[in-house]
């Protein structure tokens, strides 16, 4: 028995040695993923790019804030093997490469706040200088923080900045610390975008107000393939879908966000559109379908 355990251990040690290969520049052993997930939307190459995850923390009441539903939320989370007291939050910016243009949707928290977007952008094979457009779904710090580095310099120096005109107007009039640091210095460079406007060929802005006053999502259509980019308009992948009346602690207009979610969930379910949402579980790609009173999220089949 002792000998068998010893041999097994030696075998594992040898396999691990071979796997690591001692080659410089390799990923450390046992680290999951490369932080990006590449897929195709017709003729557009897309990447979900992780900005990393938060430390585990309580889900309630931030991710399901309705006071009368706290117990139902808790039971639902537990039934889906999520610990209401200690779950990580995901941050999932998106890159759309149309060939001539490379559009980044949201910029993560910023390196100074632990953001890993740039690290994963490099692993996906892109330099920050290659980004031609940055689209900001809204003005919250975890979406705009990555626009500037620790010294306040622009991280994407060549990119045209795009943001929904209603949200841009709101945040410039009501600047948070993150807005003062990341948006205000570039206010002359930001092009305001209207509902329905085509920001690139095949990529259209869709008003999804409520999470913030002028939150914008994106609809991508290429060669008959669809992708809907929710930003924060989808909320929590379980609670916001299952409970049609649910709202987040971070939602600024709770009645409006409930109406927005109802409209958009119905649309993508009807269209059978592929979707991505900023805080859904990595790699945040899948489908939404009707289930009971509400909806459910079905992850897309993972392809290497
Ligand atoms: Zn967010």
């Amino acid at each position: 028995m002792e000998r068998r355990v010893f041999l097994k251990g030696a075998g594992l040690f040898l396999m691990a040695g071979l796997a690591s290969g001692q080659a410089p520049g390799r990923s450390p052993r046992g680290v999951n993923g490369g932080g990006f997930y590449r897929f195709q939307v017709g003729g557009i190459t897309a990447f979900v790019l992780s900005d990393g995850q938060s430390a585990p923390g309580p889900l309630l009441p931030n991710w399901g804030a309705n006071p009368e539903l706290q117990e139902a939320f808790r039971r639902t989370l537990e039934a889906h093997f999520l610990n209401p007291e200690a779950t990580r939050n995901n941050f999932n910016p998106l890159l759309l490469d149309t060939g001539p243009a490379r559009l980044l949707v949201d910029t993560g928290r910023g390196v100074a706040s632990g953001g890993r977007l740039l690290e994963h952008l490099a692993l996906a094979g892109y330099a920050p200088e290659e980004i031609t457009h940055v689209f900001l779904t809204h003005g919250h710090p975890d979406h705009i923080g990555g626009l500037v580095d620790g010294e306040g310099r622009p991280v994407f120096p060549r990119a045209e900045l795009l943001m929904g005109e209603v949200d841009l107007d709101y945040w410039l009039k009501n600047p948070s610390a993150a807005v003062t640091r990341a948006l205000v210095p570039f206010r002359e460079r930001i092009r305001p975008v209207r509902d329905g406007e085509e920001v690139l060929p095949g990529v259209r802005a869709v008003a999804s107000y409520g999470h913030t006053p002028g939150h914008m999502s994106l609809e991508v259509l290429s060669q008959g393939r669809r992708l809907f980019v929710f930003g924060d308009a989808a909320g929590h992948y379980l609670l916001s879908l299952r409970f049609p009346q649910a709202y987040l602690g971070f939602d600024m207009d709770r009645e409006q966000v409930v109406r927005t979610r109802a409209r958009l969930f119905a649309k993508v379910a009807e269209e059978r559109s592929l979707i991505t949402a900023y805080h859904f579980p990595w790699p945040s790609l899948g489908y939404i379908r009707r289930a009971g009173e509400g909806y459910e999220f079905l992850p897309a089949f993972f392809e290497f």
Side-chain angles (χ1 to χ4, degrees):
M1 185 60 192
E2 261 175 35
R3 183 178 150 79
R4 279 180 60 200
V5 169
F6 170 78
L7 285 175
K8 198 173 161 198
L12 284 175
F13 179 78
L14 186 65
M15 276 165 59
L18 287 172
S20 81
Q22 280 90 40
R26 283 229 184 155
S27 294
R29 274 199 303 259
V31 173
N32 283 337
F36 66 88
Y37 185 77
R38 178 183 169 148
F39 62 106
Q40 210 62 33
V41 186
I44 297 175
T45 303
F47 296 81
V48 184
L49 294 163
S50 177
D51 189 51
Q53 292 180 320
S54 69
L59 276 170
L60 301 173
N62 274 337
W63 293 95
N66 311 53
E68 73 285 2
L69 290 174
Q70 292 300 296
E71 197 41 48
F73 287 158
R74 176 171 298 276
R75 280 200 307 273
T76 301
L77 293 169
E78 283 169 350
H80 290 80
F81 303 93
L82 286 180
N83 181 351
E85 307 304 333
T87 296
R88 294 181 188 274
N89 184 16
N90 293 270
F91 306 90
N92 300 311
L94 179 82
L95 175 65
L96 297 172
D97 186 343
T98 67
R102 281 160 303 277
L103 168 77
L104 179 67
V105 186
D106 288 334
T107 65
R109 298 159 292 173
V111 174
S113 303
R116 300 183 63 183
L117 170 67
L118 291 181
E119 178 191 332
H120 296 149
L121 184 69
L123 285 172
Y126 292 86
E129 294 76 21
E130 292 181 274
I131 304 301
T132 59
H133 301 76
V134 172
F135 182 87
L136 302 164
T137 58
H138 64 295
H140 279 162
D142 53 326
H143 299 256
I144 64 170
L147 276 177
V148 289
D149 67 12
E151 274 75 54
R153 289 179 301 236
V155 169
F156 307 100
R158 302 230 171 97
E160 179 178 23
L161 308 180
L162 306 161
M163 190 173 181
E165 62 173 358
V166 176
D167 225 52
L168 179 62
D169 186 55
Y170 172 84
W171 288 108
L172 290 178
K173 284 180 181 149
N174 304 275
S176 62
V179 168
T180 301
R181 197 171 57 84
L183 278 191
V184 171
F186 309 115
R187 59 189 306 164
E188 303 305 325
R189 279 182 54 200
I190 307 175
R191 179 154 73 84
V193 171
R194 293 204 172 139
D195 181 28
E197 195 174 322
E198 199 168 55
V199 298
L200 285 179
V203 183
R204 199 170 64 85
V206 177
S208 48
Y209 302 164
H211 179 68
T212 59
H215 187 287
M216 280 281 196
S217 302
L218 287 177
E219 187 168 41
V220 184
L221 184 60
S222 175
Q223 299 171 0
R225 311 298 296 184
R226 287 178 180 277
L227 171 71
F228 195 86
V229 185
F230 271 93
D232 279 4
H236 187 264
Y237 83 96
L238 192 56
L239 302 181
S240 304
L241 287 159
R242 181 150 302 217
F243 297 88
Q245 69 277 49
Y247 52 81
L248 311 182
F250 320 107
D251 288 332
M252 290 172 70
D253 186 328
R254 292 163 172 192
E255 287 174 18
Q256 189 178 37
V257 88
V258 164
R259 289 197 302 272
T260 292
R261 289 196 179 121
R263 170 170 59 87
L264 295 179
F265 291 159
K267 170 184 159 65
V268 297
E270 171 93 4
E271 293 172 346
R272 296 175 66 84
S273 174
L274 186 62
I275 71 110
T276 181
Y278 197 74
H279 297 293
F280 276 25
W282 178 257
S284 182
L285 211 56
Y287 301 90
I288 285 172
R289 71 175 179 191
R290 288 191 184 275
E293 300 280 280
Y295 294 89
E296 64 185 353
F297 174 65
L298 287 101
F301 191 89
F302 192 103
E303 291 180 0
F304 285 98

